[in-house]
Amino acid sequence: MVQAQAEQQSTSRVRAIFNVTSGNFLEQYDFFLFGLYAKFIGETFFKSESAYAALIKTFLIFAVSFLMRPIGALVLGPYVDRIGRRKGLMLTLTIMAFGSVVIAFTPGYETIGIAAAVLIFVGRLAQGFSAGVELGGVSVYLSEIADEHNKGFITSWQSASQQVAVIFAALLGFGIHQIFTEQQVSAWAWRIPFIVGCLIIPAIFYLRGNLQETEDFASRKHHPTTKEILSTLAKNWKIVIAGMLMVATTTTMFYFITVYTPTYGKEILHLTSTQSLIATIFVGASNFIFLPIGGILADKFGRKVILLSMTILILFSAYPLLNWLTHDISLAHMLVVLFVLSVLYSFYNGALVVTLTEIMPKTVRTAGFSVAYSLATSVFGGLTPVISTYIVEQTGSQSAPAFWLMTAAVVSLIATSYVFMVAKMHVVPKAAAVEL
């Protein structure tokens, strides 16, 4: 009887993980596609004198959408903490779906002029607004349905689900480049993956609609008002900022090895489109495997040791890795470099996400996580493609993006040391907030 109940509970938890991360899949799928087809989007929606100018404009739109994330976190985060995880995640999915439809079906610059760029901008802002609380809402939901001994492993599936989106988008892109010519892809075929994303939206609404509210939230006798939530966030601003700086490494690494990889491989290293997509599929698969392992390691050895060791390794390995790659460019060497960066990112992220859910005050867990994560994504991750493109152009060094990765590692190393040493958190936090 006890075994049957345990099996039923396990099955129910697996189903809940799948249902809640389905929206996460769509969010990352659309964000990744924008980076994957940046060159073609720039040519379609922007009038530019050069390919470099069009690419920079596209990546700026990509980056500007991240500025909406903190706003979304401040507006939607308190809503989720007040009204519930399930209802909040349904709302974020609705806004995200709107942005996806706009990007998929907006006519190009030659058809409607500057209105094309404006509509793409609006669509990206909607997606950024929604994404501001999507990751936080999913992470907190997973954390609240997990047991104490496996919180790192369970919450790691928030990030792991994103890798499925990366793999799916890259495989779809690979197929499109095999079927259509470069001219056809540039003219219209790049829209196909975005339309596919729109077609799966109803299925994701169905899955999210079957979510149950977490017992942790449902059992609370008092659900704070928006004013109370914002007041608690202001009181705990130090831990929110520290959390933001801890996220710097994971968001910068993620957007470099996934979103920026196709452009870096093709435009900077001059690999073929097929080779760049193969590299992207590879890194997505690697992330999917190692992210849960990172969560397990965080559960076994504690959050602090994983977070500190990974930032130090990133700091001292980023430049040697990219320098080696750019001095002997090949697909095989790119795969080796991406594999190493993928493992470092995955182990760090596996410990980070659960830590972020644990250091935030319980009553503002979603809002606190979302504000910290979205600020980091806006300041660091979202700017990674445009900064990497810019510093390569300005320095003439193909390995220059390593310095951006190293900067993020230093920032996170300091923040992690502060949280665990100055704030004196336990090596393995017991889901308790830190009041600073």
Side-chain angles (χ1 to χ4, degrees):
M1 182 68 177
V2 175
Q3 183 178 356
Q5 288 179 338
E7 290 178 354
Q8 184 178 10
Q9 183 181 18
S10 177
T11 301
S12 176
R13 182 174 292 170
V14 170
R15 188 182 300 114
I17 292 172
F18 181 76
N19 289 351
V20 76
T21 57
S22 61
N24 221 25
F25 169 90
L26 179 64
E27 183 257 335
Q28 191 52 52
Y29 176 76
D30 281 336
F31 266 79
F32 177 72
L33 284 180
F34 204 86
L36 182 63
Y37 293 103
K39 178 176 180 292
F40 304 121
I41 291 173
E43 293 172 350
T44 301
F45 297 109
F46 303 104
K47 183 178 181 180
S48 300
E49 302 75 24
S50 66
Y52 168 72
L55 189 61
I56 283 292
K57 288 180 181 179
T58 306
F59 278 142
L60 282 174
I61 292 292
F62 182 82
V64 166
S65 69
F66 285 89
L67 298 179
M68 286 299 291
R69 287 197 174 202
I71 299 175
L74 286 171
V75 174
L76 298 178
Y79 175 80
V80 177
D81 280 325
R82 177 171 55 85
I83 206 71
R85 315 312 187 201
R86 180 185 176 278
K87 291 181 179 179
L89 288 171
M90 289 298 291
L91 176 61
T92 63
L93 179 59
T94 301
I95 299 171
M96 193 189 315
F98 166 76
S100 300
V101 171
V102 169
I103 293 172
F105 296 104
T106 295
Y109 182 88
E110 292 186 359
T111 304
I112 60 174
I114 192 65
V118 172
L119 286 172
I120 291 300
F121 184 70
V122 170
R124 290 296 296 169
L125 290 184
Q127 289 184 326
F129 184 78
S130 169
V133 81
E134 170 71 18
L135 297 184
V138 171
S139 298
V140 168
Y141 187 94
L142 293 174
S143 176
E144 290 182 351
I145 67 172
D147 298 322
E148 286 296 326
H149 69 278
N150 64 7
K151 280 187 180 290
F153 174 68
I154 296 297
T155 56
S156 71
W157 289 102
Q158 178 266 107
S159 299
S161 68
Q162 298 180 19
Q163 313 313 311
V164 179
V166 171
I167 297 169
F168 180 70
L171 283 172
L172 196 55
F174 178 82
I176 287 173
H177 279 280
Q178 298 302 307
I179 297 172
F180 301 102
T181 66
E182 190 77 4
Q183 291 74 22
Q184 289 173 319
V185 174
S186 177
W188 58 271
W190 66 265
R191 293 181 185 268
I192 294 175
F194 288 93
I195 295 173
V196 170
C198 292
L199 293 176
I200 65 176
I201 287 174
I204 297 176
F205 267 105
Y206 173 78
L207 292 173
R208 276 264 170 106
N210 289 324
L211 281 177
Q212 299 297 316
E213 188 56 77
T214 67
E215 291 184 13
D216 183 287
F217 182 86
S219 63
R220 295 180 197 171
K221 296 181 179 179
H222 173 67
H223 294 154
T225 64
T226 298
K227 182 178 179 180
E228 290 173 330
I229 291 171
L230 294 176
S231 176
T232 302
L233 282 177
K235 178 183 176 183
N236 291 273
W237 68 270
K238 290 183 182 178
I239 200 63
V240 173
I241 296 300
M244 163 200 165
L245 299 178
M246 290 172 69
V247 176
T249 288
T250 199
T251 188
T252 300
M253 289 285 287
F254 177 76
Y255 281 98
F256 181 80
I257 63 177
T258 57
V259 174
Y260 187 60
T261 286
T263 299
Y264 186 65
K266 185 178 179 182
E267 303 297 327
I268 307 300
L269 303 183
H270 305 295
L271 298 174
T272 66
S273 296
T274 298
Q275 288 175 321
S276 296
L277 287 170
I278 289 173
T280 304
I281 295 169
F282 173 84
V283 77
S286 176
N287 290 345
F288 181 78
I289 293 170
F290 286 104
L291 277 163
I293 295 176
I296 292 172
L297 292 175
D299 287 329
K300 183 175 179 60
F301 299 106
R303 310 342 180 191
K304 182 175 75 172
V305 65
I306 302 299
L307 292 172
L308 291 177
S309 59
M310 290 306 107
T311 48
I312 292 171
L313 286 172
I314 292 168
L315 175 61
F316 289 103
S317 65
Y319 184 78
L321 284 169
L322 291 188
N323 189 55
W324 173 71
L325 170 61
T326 55
H327 279 78
D328 191 3
I329 298 172
S330 70
L331 177 60
H333 286 177
M334 187 172 186
L335 293 179
V336 170
V337 170
L338 287 174
F339 176 76
V340 176
L341 294 177
S342 167
V343 172
L344 296 177
Y345 154 75
S346 297
F347 285 1
Y348 183 83
N349 186 274
L352 170 77
V353 174
V354 65
T355 301
L356 208 56
T357 66
E358 292 167 330
I359 65 176
M360 295 299 166
K362 187 175 183 179
T363 56
V364 295
R365 191 175 284 159
T366 303
F369 183 112
S370 299
V371 171
Y373 210 104
S374 60
L375 283 173
T377 306
S378 300
V379 176
F380 292 95
L383 290 176
T384 293
V386 69
I387 286 180
S388 297
T389 302
Y390 177 78
I391 59 178
V392 168
E393 181 74 14
Q394 295 300 311
T395 64
S397 171
Q398 295 174 317
S399 55
F403 295 111
W404 181 236
L405 301 181
M406 293 163 67
T407 299
V410 170
V411 167
S412 293
L413 181 61
I414 294 172
T416 301
S417 300
Y418 170 78
V419 167
F420 284 94
M421 297 175 187
V422 177
K424 297 180 180 179
M425 284 191 62
H426 299 295
V427 175
V428 181
K430 298 299 182 181
V434 179
E435 298 287 343
L436 299 180

